[in-house]
Amino acid sequence: IAAATEDARIRAERIAENSRSDLGSLRSADLGVFQIIGQNSGEDFTWGGAYNTADKKKTASVTMRLEFEID
């Protein structure tokens, strides 16, 4: 979750830079869908999330939605 949040902040900073603005304060943060699939399994992501319980090794994908003010 920490890595997904950091990635979202970095992307927001790039968007702000490209629009010649500065990233302001964080207004809100929401967790999106968790996708937990077997590592190298070929499973598909699903709209409601995937929760593999069979495989020992897993890959997780977490979606974060951060809303910032623009200065």
Side-chain angles (χ1 to χ4, degrees), residues 1 3-5 9 13 15-17 20 24-25 27 29 36 44 50 53-54 57 65 69-70:
I1 295 171
T5 304
R9 185 190 58 76
E13 287 175 345
I15 291 168
E17 286 175 16
R20 296 188 179 130
S25 300
R27 295 179 60 183
I36 301 172
D44 290 329
T53 58
K57 293 186 179 185
R65 181 175 184 265
E69 293 179 2
I70 299 293

Side-chain angles (χ1 to χ4, degrees), residues 17-70:
E17 286 175 16
N18 289 335
S19 63
R20 296 188 179 130
S21 300
D22 293 317
L23 197 61
S25 300
L26 178 65
R27 295 179 60 183
S28 68
D30 295 308
L31 264 169
V33 175
F34 275 71
Q35 304 283 348
I36 301 172
I37 61 173
Q39 200 170 39
N40 302 318
S41 69
E43 291 177 76
D44 290 329
F45 290 137
T46 64
W47 176 253
Y51 303 100
N52 179 305
T53 58
D55 294 308
K56 288 184 179 183
K57 293 186 179 185
K58 298 178 177 36
T59 298
S61 174
V62 180
T63 303
M64 292 295 300
R65 181 175 184 265
L66 304 181
E67 185 176 323
F68 290 94
E69 293 179 2
I70 299 293

